[in-house]
Amino acid sequence: QVQLVESGGGLVQAGGSLRLSCAASGLTFTNYPMGWFRQAPGKEREFAAAIRSGGSTYYADSVTGRFTISRDNAKNTVYLQMSSLKPEDTAVYYCAAASSLYYSGRVLMNRSSYNYWGQGTQVTVSS
């Protein structure tokens, strides 16, 4: 059974940094594109970043230059390094695994392209 477990969320001041981790089990990690999504209160879950097994990365305009997604295939773990955090980054952050080995580019920005999700971790950025 596939399981994704996020960690690293918490409370941080605006301008600060935070590093999220997502540990994957029950799947061939190296074959799956992975993504980070976030959902703020009253809003739809939105794309933040994605990474393919070979290391290609994709970012939402709202986080480009501030967030960095990476993966350690040997550890079955994907990371989201967040810097220059803003109050509008406050959300529950979810790790997800794509449903196709072949997805890349824009298709990875759509939450419907992912079929496995973690439980989420809360990130709160104060002013």
Side-chain angles (χ1 to χ4, degrees):
Q1 185 175 2
V2 174
Q3 185 177 36
L4 304 176
V5 180
E6 303 97 332
S7 62
L11 176 64
V12 64
Q13 294 279 358
S17 298
L18 207 60
R19 186 186 188 227
L20 306 182
S21 298
C22 173
S25 63
L27 78 167
T28 305
F29 180 83
T30 56
N31 289 341
Y32 284 81
M34 301 291 292
W36 286 97
F37 288 73
R38 62 188 188 179
Q39 187 166 20
K43 295 186 177 181
E44 292 187 356
R45 193 169 301 185
E46 68 174 12
F47 171 78
I51 186 168
R52 299 193 74 226
S53 62
S56 300
T57 58
Y58 311 92
Y59 297 95
D61 289 344
S62 58
V63 309
T64 295
R66 300 188 300 118
F67 291 11
T68 301
I69 188 171
S70 62
R71 65 193 294 161
D72 187 334
N73 289 337
K75 295 181 178 179
N76 281 10
T77 302
V78 62
Y79 306 94
L80 187 67
Q81 178 66 50
M82 305 182 293
S83 62
S84 301
L85 283 163
K86 306 173 181 179
E88 52 262 45
D89 294 319
T90 295
V92 177
Y93 283 71
Y94 297 90
C95 176
S99 59
S100 173
L101 305 178
Y102 309 109
Y103 286 169
S104 65
R106 290 182 176 271
V107 68
L108 291 174
M109 299 180 181
N110 192 329
R111 61 183 182 269
S112 67
S113 297
Y114 300 81
N115 63 344
Y116 293 106
W117 297 83
Q119 83 289 345
T121 185
Q122 176 70 48
V123 172
T124 302
V125 184
S126 62
S127 301

